[in-house]
Amino acid sequence: ILASILSLAIYWIIRDRYRVRNLNGKHVFITGCDTGLGNSLAKWLDKNGFCVIAACATEKGSQELRSCSSLSLKTVNLNLADSNSIARAVVFVTEQTAGKGLFGLVSNAEGTAPVGPTDWLRIEDFHSVLDVSLLGLIEITLKLLPLLKKAEGRVVNLINAKGLMAFVGGGYSLSKWGMEAFSDTLRIEMQHFGVKVSIVEHGFFKAEEVNSGIIEKYLFKLWNRLTPEIKDSYGEKYLVK
């Protein structure tokens, strides 16, 4: 019993050494903050003293987040599929950090995901996901690396674990596997500069539960644009099962 208590005490001492202290002036930039996990994380970090810069896809999302946060939380509009929007966001982050560097980058945004059999899809259906969830993530990470290196900060990529199961066609799973590979490579390369790179594989967040109605809408939209030949190869019963 004494050995167990001693081991637990040592564990707590070691764990506490890795807690982030002196939060004042530490800037964290988070993408995908309109709703869900990104929104909740921005509020939590703001409440705990970090200087949060929250990227939202809509002005409505920005306004709602600012209305329930401290004055130190800043928002910026960001479209990860648009390089110009990414460039503007990077300028904003650079100005906000004022030469201190960026303590943390949390990437959370997900692209729209048409789901269905692969031969129901077009290349633009893949782009709608990959341009945001993978290529957009890579682009903004690359442009913020100088600030992260300056602060010896950390990159945290949030990946929905359901995307690591390739059970449906489309770009969603591709983007998640790509994020894993990008993160693993970046972790090795940035270690020399004191920048940490982490992956958080999470499950369903309560605000992001699967909406079967949206999935069904996508399926019917895909079905209605198929050629007669592809429809015949599947048959009407395939769609209604």
Side-chain angles (χ1 to χ4, degrees), residues 77-95:
N77 288 348
L78 175 63
N79 176 5
L80 282 171
D82 182 356
S83 292
N84 292 326
S85 179
I86 290 174
R88 289 192 294 269
V90 171
V91 170
F92 183 80
V93 173
T94 303
E95 292 172 347

Side-chain angles (χ1 to χ4, degrees), residues 1-15:
I1 294 175
L2 182 60
S4 298
I5 294 174
L6 182 61
S7 298
L8 186 60
I10 294 173
Y11 165 77
W12 280 102
I13 292 172
I14 294 174
R15 195 194 74 158

Side-chain angles (χ1 to χ4, degrees), residues 13-119:
I13 292 172
I14 294 174
R15 195 194 74 158
D16 285 349
R17 289 177 58 192
Y18 290 95
R19 285 187 177 181
V20 177
R21 304 187 187 280
N22 301 320
L23 306 183
N24 186 36
K26 286 184 167 61
H27 289 82
V28 179
F29 179 59
I30 311 170
T31 67
C33 292
D34 293 80
T35 59
L37 187 53
N39 183 276
S40 295
L41 179 61
K43 293 175 182 175
W44 188 87
L45 291 178
D46 175 60
K47 182 179 179 181
N48 282 273
F50 285 93
C51 298
V52 176
I53 306 172
C56 297
T58 64
E59 184 58 34
K60 179 183 177 182
S62 295
Q63 292 176 355
E64 290 179 351
L65 181 56
R66 289 196 302 267
S67 69
C68 57
S69 305
S70 75
L71 294 177
S72 67
L73 183 143
K74 308 297 181 182
T75 61
V76 60
N77 288 348
L78 175 63
N79 176 5
L80 282 171
D82 182 356
S83 292
N84 292 326
S85 179
I86 290 174
R88 289 192 294 269
V90 171
V91 170
F92 183 80
V93 173
T94 303
E95 292 172 347
Q96 291 297 316
T97 54
K100 297 178 182 178
L102 184 61
F103 180 75
L105 166 62
V106 182
S107 293
N108 169 62
E110 294 190 344
T112 306
V115 294
T118 299
D119 63 346

Side-chain angles (χ1 to χ4, degrees), residues 98-155:
K100 297 178 182 178
L102 184 61
F103 180 75
L105 166 62
V106 182
S107 293
N108 169 62
E110 294 190 344
T112 306
V115 294
T118 299
D119 63 346
W120 291 21
L121 302 172
R122 299 172 182 170
I123 192 63
E124 55 263 32
D125 297 321
F126 288 85
H127 276 294
S128 69
V129 182
L130 297 176
D131 287 351
V132 174
S133 296
L134 182 58
L135 299 178
L137 175 146
I138 292 173
E139 183 173 356
I140 199 162
T141 301
L142 294 177
K143 291 185 175 179
L144 289 174
L145 278 180
L147 294 179
L148 289 160
K149 289 162 71 174
K150 186 169 187 175
E152 294 189 354
R154 65 281 327 277
V155 177

Side-chain angles (χ1 to χ4, degrees), residues 137 155-157 159 178-188 197-199:
L137 175 146
V155 177
V156 180
N157 289 328
I159 300 177
M179 287 173 65
E180 292 267 350
F182 176 70
S183 302
D184 289 343
T185 303
L186 190 66
R187 183 183 305 113
I188 297 169
V197 179
S198 301
I199 299 170

